[in-house]
Amino acid sequence: MLPSPEDLNLNAHHAALRAPALLAALLALLTGCATAPDAIPGKRHSTQELLSYQPADFRWQPTRASAEEAARERDLSLLRQRLSLAPGSAEAQAALPDILAAVLHYNTEIDAARAPALSGLAGLEARPADVQRAVLSAVYRFYAPEASAQLWALLPKLSSPREFAIAANALLKPLTGPARQSAAAQIKAQMQLSFPTTWTDEPRLRALSWPLDQALQPSAPNAAPPLAELLAAPLRPGYPVVFSLQRPGREVLGLALLRGADGRFVREADGRLFQVPQLARALSNLPGTITLGNTPQGIFAVRGSSTASNPSIGPTPFLETKLPIEASVSEFFQVDGSDLDWSEPLYAALLPQSWQAWEPIKEAWLAGRAGRDEILMHGSVVNPDYYRGASYYPATPTAGCLTAPEQWDPANGRLLASGQLQLAQAFARAYRQAQERNPGGLDPMVKGYLVMVELPGNDGAGGPVLAAELEASVQAAEQRWLNRPR
């Protein structure tokens, strides 16, 4: 039986980043680089192996209290040294991405980093794109209101769609009502001017168009289609599906449910829905088409389970999820071979008809087109106390993945309890049941789907997602599955 979210001591990873050498080096320090003695990095786990594991089979030395405290003190000392560099100096400019990465990870020194971050906006258009992304992401996360004037001046100078989209979202973030509507009009006009031939199709700019249009037409209908219809989506019949239900804004814990290959949702012995708390929030909290942003809404293929070669994720087997384009058409549709090329209609064909025109559910398709990859369902090894006071505490944000709760023994680093292992094993059981009904038809490695979707409504004011609010939609979905055309 899974503990309630309130009883869980959550941890999370800070996932591998594609970043400049200085930033990559700091992130390695932040997350700890020791290899888990009981884990083999890169190991692939068969269905049977997944089902055989116990929490005690895994340990992670960096979660020992003494190791975690030593690493934190070392990294914060380095952070403070870098914050003390002469403002505007070449050294301070070079260290800025590392500084902001540490501030995001440890959720500390936010006030001390304000001046360097805001000064970093001056002349940012001339710096490399990854430096632009690092600075703009931190400004979006912590300093958007006070950066407004600088961002408006910078926006026309940004030639990369990714960085333009981050800056535009930072401008919109603090605004409501008429002020937001006015800003949206200016941003859309600038987007069309800066990217005259690509703004309608470039994935990050197309994703940006959604909040812009919502701000420009606040009275236009924007209700999501019925959730039950998405929960009943056939996808590829014969495969289990994880549904990760999140609140808009990702300010609170979401919930993962599991639908078996027979269309019925997995339940506990007492009839309650099988459920695992999940957080799908990035450190930056940027939209899902942006590098290192939140987990995008939409459909992912599950293509096996592995232990991370990146030690920041921890040793618990993750479920490997792939976006469209990151996965070939054959991989995504779970077939041996296909000569089809990826297209939006091909992706949309997996959705119920009522959802095919709903733009937010295509975020995964756009994220794949934008080059995002390695968005996984995994465990968590970061100290949740870094985020004490956050509305999602005791969960921790990541670099864009979905993390489930784990408890680690601070004395010896052994895994005590793992929502991630429970989810992976429930998925493996559902996959094995499908194998038994189709002997010889499925691979020994787990396969299936993930559907990530935000629930209708406002931000996290409603509190964590609870199974009770989903029960009616689940029952309606199961009935729709039984009545679907054969």
Side-chain angles (χ1 to χ4, degrees), residues 318-349:
F318 64 77
L319 290 174
E320 182 179 5
T321 56
K322 288 191 172 186
L323 292 161
I325 301 176
E326 178 190 5
S328 67
V329 171
S330 296
E331 288 179 310
F332 206 84
F333 282 79
Q334 317 285 8
V335 295
D336 290 336
S338 172
D339 57 2
L340 294 174
D341 293 327
W342 266 114
S343 67
E344 185 171 336
L346 194 62
Y347 169 82

Side-chain angles (χ1 to χ4, degrees), residues 203-222:
R204 286 149 296 204
L205 299 180
R206 177 172 157 186
L208 172 61
S209 294
W210 170 255
L212 294 178
D213 290 344
Q214 291 297 301
L216 290 169
Q217 304 176 48
S219 61
N222 64 353

Side-chain angles (χ1 to χ4, degrees), residues 274-289:
F274 171 83
Q275 56 190 278
V276 170
Q278 254 187 353
L279 187 66
R281 177 192 171 104
L283 286 157
S284 67
N285 200 26
L286 279 162
T289 55

Side-chain angles (χ1 to χ4, degrees), residues 423-436:
L423 179 60
Q425 290 181 325
F427 192 90
R429 280 191 293 272
Y431 184 73
R432 185 176 66 178
Q433 290 168 1
Q435 281 186 302
E436 291 169 349

Side-chain angles (χ1 to χ4, degrees), residues 70-395:
R72 183 178 70 252
E73 287 306 311
R74 178 197 65 212
D75 297 336
L76 292 183
S77 176
L78 177 60
L79 170 61
R80 288 162 187 146
Q81 289 175 30
R82 287 174 165 166
L83 284 169
S84 68
L85 293 169
S89 66
E91 294 82 1
Q93 288 188 359
L96 186 56
D98 298 5
I99 289 169
L100 298 177
V103 171
L104 280 166
H105 176 75
Y106 284 111
N107 197 36
T108 192
E109 301 293 349
I110 296 168
D111 288 338
R114 176 177 281 101
L118 295 177
S119 66
L121 292 172
L124 187 63
E125 71 278 6
R127 304 196 68 187
D130 277 343
V131 175
Q132 293 180 28
R133 178 193 53 76
V135 174
L136 289 168
S137 295
V139 167
Y140 171 88
R141 175 67 182 88
F142 294 121
Y143 315 115
E146 56 222 281
S148 178
Q150 290 171 277
L151 290 170
W152 280 119
L154 179 63
L155 194 67
K157 304 174 185 176
L158 295 173
S159 59
S160 163
R162 182 182 69 182
E163 282 62 56
F164 184 96
I166 299 173
N169 277 288
L171 285 165
L172 284 175
K173 182 180 178 181
L175 302 178
T176 59
R180 185 177 177 89
Q181 188 173 24
S182 175
Q186 294 177 68
I187 291 168
K188 189 162 188 176
Q190 184 60 58
M191 180 170 67
Q192 293 170 346
L193 185 63
S194 296
F195 307 97
T197 62
T198 59
W199 72 272
T200 58
D201 189 56
E202 200 287 328
R204 286 149 296 204
L205 299 180
R206 177 172 157 186
L208 172 61
S209 294
W210 170 255
L212 294 178
D213 290 344
Q214 291 297 301
L216 290 169
Q217 304 176 48
S219 61
N222 64 353
L227 179 61
E229 295 181 14
L230 183 63
L231 297 179
L235 301 177
R236 290 279 294 165
Y239 292 90
V241 182
V242 174
F243 286 91
S244 185
L245 294 308
Q246 305 288 327
R247 301 277 188 215
R250 315 292 173 87
E251 295 289 349
V252 295
L253 266 171
L255 199 65
L257 305 180
L258 177 62
R259 192 183 78 188
D262 60 359
R264 292 179 294 181
F265 281 75
V266 175
R267 294 181 180 272
E268 306 283 3
D270 62 3
R272 292 183 302 112
L273 282 166
F274 171 83
Q275 56 190 278
V276 170
Q278 254 187 353
L279 187 66
R281 177 192 171 104
L283 286 157
S284 67
N285 200 26
L286 279 162
T289 55
I290 305 295
T291 307
L292 309 181
N294 293 335
T295 309
Q297 295 189 71
I299 307 171
F300 300 66
V302 176
R303 297 290 296 179
S305 175
S306 300
T307 293
S309 56
N310 170 12
S312 66
I313 289 176
T316 312
F318 64 77
L319 290 174
E320 182 179 5
T321 56
K322 288 191 172 186
L323 292 161
I325 301 176
E326 178 190 5
S328 67
V329 171
S330 296
E331 288 179 310
F332 206 84
F333 282 79
Q334 317 285 8
V335 295
D336 290 336
S338 172
D339 57 2
L340 294 174
D341 293 327
W342 266 114
S343 67
E344 185 171 336
L346 194 62
Y347 169 82
L350 290 169
L351 294 162
Q353 186 172 2
S354 61
W355 282 80
Q356 289 181 7
W358 179 244
E359 190 71 6
I361 203 69
K362 297 177 183 177
E363 193 177 30
W365 160 251
L366 296 176
R369 285 188 57 209
R372 288 203 69 179
D373 60 7
E374 297 182 4
I375 297 173
L376 311 172
M377 287 189 281
H378 61 76
S380 42
V381 294
V382 170
N383 186 342
D385 285 343
Y386 301 164
Y387 310 98
R388 186 177 292 276
S391 54
Y392 48 78
Y393 178 85

